[in-house]
Amino acid sequence: MNYKKYFSDELTSLKSQGLYRKFREINRDKKHFPKATERFEGNERAVEVWCSNDYLNLSQHPEVIKKSVEVIQELGTGSGGTRNISGTSSYHADLEKELADLHNKEASLIFPSAYTANQSTLWTLCKKLEGIEVFSDELNHASMIQGIKNANVPCHIFRHNDVDHLRKLLNTSNASVPKLIVLESLYSMEGLRSPLKQIVSLAKEFNALTYLDEVHSVGLYGFEGRGIAEEQNVSDEIDIINGTLSKAFGQMGGYIAASSDIIDFVRSFAPGFIFTSSANPSIAAASIKAIEIAKKSENLRGDIRKNSDLIRNGLRDLEIPHLDNDSHIIPIHLEDPKLCKEAANLLIEEHGIYIQPVFYPTVPKGDERFRVTITPKHQATDIQGFLSSLDQVWNKLSLRRERLSETVNKQVTKIY
Ligand SMILES: Cc1ncc(COP(=O)(O)O)c(C=O)c1O
């Protein structure tokens, strides 16, 4: 085989489809977020960030930074090993207690990322529970899909948030086999909640385990930011909750929270947990601090709600197609990878607005979009500027304007 030609042809084909990813170098200013500096081609320019997952801006919170630096000064930087071989500090143990408490579970387990937590936990459950059948929402994140796929077990994909379809699929499987329902509480590209109560009740009826990814909701929803399972009062009925330390808590890493036995089981059998070095102790300590702050930050959550309403109202007035959901994630639909990139380039080059175009494989082909994420640090004047810039770019490229499409409305109506 001509390897050189193979790799080069694959990349050329990706580029010709408009699907090639370029990373922008964005240095966020600790004191002035969402203002940041982009370095490109040896120059620098001022930009404003509209697509960060640092939802509460806790990565730049003075107390969190202070804690992180203190622990680096005290223990050094790296953890020194896997959790089993000298890599467990008291900060790791304390963080696991904090996370278990956050989700009202007996125990928790931290991983290098929520991606590994999902992939490794699901792979381990699927491999160990003999005869298992998985029921997975069609919009589940790549990390969950990889975990299930790699285990090579039967997997039924149910239509997004469609409880009737899930029931139909559950009915097809043998009552005696172990079952696992896998879903997210707030879908990352849609900002839509899942019908948790109904799914939990189906899980009970069919004696299925439930695995819930709360990556985009921890810190932001529910009492003290404990997530959407808490908000909908079903936390106790979800068997395994997955979350991240790298979004609302502004650090790095992921975790699962569950009963002591499930956590001990995953701790003992999951290769993605066992055979990798643990997080730096400073990250664990900063995460504890960030969670403490997030719990007390109802005002920040209120600002996010206020800001996202302002954006949605503006988009509606400008007739820019978007999904009218009820969250901090606001998808703006462009539905063409090249146009999506062109609009993003114009926004940054002519208006200093940084929003990353989202395309396949992050979303299906034809579903290309901007995924606006709002933080409490975005001011009303920033929002006005953002909307006006979008308006100008929409005019310049003659992009589609329309009131919300029926499908979008239907989808939202169905869920809330
Ligand atoms: C739904 C979902 N789950 C898991 C992850 C992985 O999270 P992490 O960045 O902590 O690996 C992501 C990443 O964006 C996500 O969107």
Side-chain angles (χ1 to χ4, degrees):
M1 178 176 195
N2 183 340
Y3 298 110
K4 193 169 180 327
K5 182 171 177 328
Y6 170 78
F7 294 127
S8 161
D9 286 354
E10 285 292 302
L11 289 168
T12 306
S13 150
L14 199 67
K15 283 177 192 166
S16 71
Q17 297 170 63
L19 299 177
Y20 185 70
R21 289 161 191 241
K22 275 198 185 142
F23 298 155
R24 292 191 180 275
E25 294 175 37
I26 304 290
N27 298 316
R28 296 174 306 136
D29 181 334
K30 173 176 80 168
K31 290 212 180 90
H32 301 112
F33 185 80
K35 311 287 181 213
T37 305
E38 185 195 11
R39 192 178 68 171
F40 75 113
E41 294 165 6
N43 295 314
E44 289 196 334
R45 66 179 161 202
V47 297
E48 218 173 69
V49 181
W50 286 87
C51 53
S52 169
N53 284 342
D54 188 7
Y55 297 135
L56 295 170
N57 194 233
L58 289 180
S59 80
Q60 299 182 319
H61 192 287
E63 286 178 49
V64 178
I65 296 172
K66 182 163 173 272
K67 190 72 203 175
S68 183
V69 172
E70 268 172 22
V71 173
I72 289 176
Q73 297 288 6
E74 185 193 351
L75 302 194
T77 51
S79 73
T82 61
R83 286 293 297 276
N84 188 39
I85 306 179
S86 105
T88 299
S89 72
S90 304
Y91 294 110
H92 294 93
D94 289 350
L95 174 58
E96 284 175 342
K97 283 193 202 112
E98 182 72 47
L99 289 166
D101 173 75
L102 187 73
H103 294 290
N104 199 24
K105 297 284 179 204
E106 288 170 357
S108 86
L109 196 66
I110 45 181
F111 289 74
S113 69
Y115 188 103
T116 351
N118 274 338
Q119 190 187 35
S120 195
T121 304
L122 288 171
W123 183 88
T124 306
L125 292 173
C126 290
K127 278 290 184 198
K128 298 288 286 183
L129 283 161
E130 218 182 310
I132 194 168
E133 291 191 16
V134 180
F135 300 81
S136 176
D137 186 289
E138 68 178 328
L139 289 192
N140 274 343
H141 188 254
S143 51
M144 295 186 268
I145 296 172
Q146 281 305 313
I148 300 162
K149 265 195 175 166
N150 292 348
N152 209 13
V153 294
C155 178
H156 310 264
I157 314 278
F158 60 94
R159 284 190 295 270
H160 181 46
N161 277 342
D162 188 335
V163 180
D164 295 337
H165 191 217
L166 174 58
R167 170 181 285 283
K168 243 187 215 160
L169 294 175
L170 283 162
N171 265 324
T172 62
S173 81
N174 188 316
S176 65
V177 302
K179 299 175 190 64
L180 175 64
I181 301 175
V182 182
L183 70 158
E184 297 179 26
S185 59
L186 186 79
Y187 281 84
S188 58
M189 289 295 142
E190 315 286 311
L192 292 175
R193 285 168 171 74
S194 50
L196 279 186
K197 279 211 159 118
Q198 295 166 61
I199 290 185
V200 158
S201 125
L202 267 189
K204 276 202 181 142
E205 187 183 330
F206 286 87
N207 188 27
L209 282 171
T210 41
Y211 185 97
L212 180 67
D213 176 317
E214 289 251 48
V215 157
H216 294 279
S217 54
V218 282
L220 298 176
Y221 300 94
F223 174 64
E224 295 185 330
R226 290 166 192 264
I228 288 176
E230 196 284 337
E231 177 196 78
Q232 301 195 3
N233 208 15
V234 292
S235 234
D236 293 349
E237 290 154 85
I238 304 282
D239 296 293
I240 303 171
I241 291 181
N242 160 274
T244 187
L245 302 169
S246 4
K247 302 192 194 300
F249 300 135
Q251 308 307 308
M252 179 86 216
Y255 63 89
I256 55 166
S259 68
S260 319
D261 280 348
I262 290 181
I263 293 298
D264 208 13
F265 178 90
V266 177
R267 190 184 74 87
S268 306
F269 293 111
F273 173 80
I274 297 171
F275 298 107
T276 187
S277 294
S278 63
N280 298 352
S282 58
I283 292 178
S287 299
I288 296 172
K289 179 54 78 184
I291 294 165
E292 264 170 46
I293 296 170
K295 280 185 181 169
K296 291 185 287 194
S297 296
E298 201 41 57
N299 56 333
L300 299 184
R301 287 185 277 278
D303 287 347
I304 290 180
R305 279 193 294 275
K306 206 172 63 198
N307 281 347
S308 41
D309 283 346
L310 271 179
I311 296 199
R312 277 188 287 265
N313 291 340
L315 292 172
R316 201 171 299 132
D317 291 346
L318 294 170
E319 302 199 347
I320 291 183
H322 64 286
L323 211 158
D324 193 15
N325 62 24
D326 179 21
S327 81
H328 64 291
I329 297 169
I330 305 169
I332 295 182
H333 297 273
L334 285 110
E335 297 168 356
D336 179 298
K338 288 182 181 154
L339 270 183
C340 196
K341 272 188 180 173
E342 203 177 337
N345 286 342
L346 274 182
L347 278 168
I348 200 161
E349 281 157 17
E350 296 187 359
H351 303 271
I353 298 287
Y354 169 49
I355 182 139
Q356 191 66 26
V358 180
F359 44 84
Y360 181 83
T362 308
V363 292
K365 286 183 183 169
D367 250 350
E368 293 76 13
R369 64 189 67 188
F370 293 153
R371 173 183 179 270
V372 181
T373 48
I374 192 76
T375 75
K377 294 276 176 159
H378 289 86
Q379 305 299 311
T381 48
D382 299 327
I383 294 172
Q384 286 317 319
F386 175 66
L387 290 167
S388 152
S389 304
L390 281 180
D391 190 30
Q392 291 172 57
V393 167
W394 247 248
N395 281 338
K396 191 158 188 172
L397 297 179
S398 304
L399 294 174
R400 186 167 60 88
R401 304 229 186 202
E402 65 177 38
R403 295 234 156 248
L404 294 176
S405 75
E406 260 213 67
T407 31
V408 166
N409 274 326
K410 248 192 238 150
Q411 199 180 9
V412 175
T413 318
K414 201 163 100 189
I415 287 150
Y416 293 101

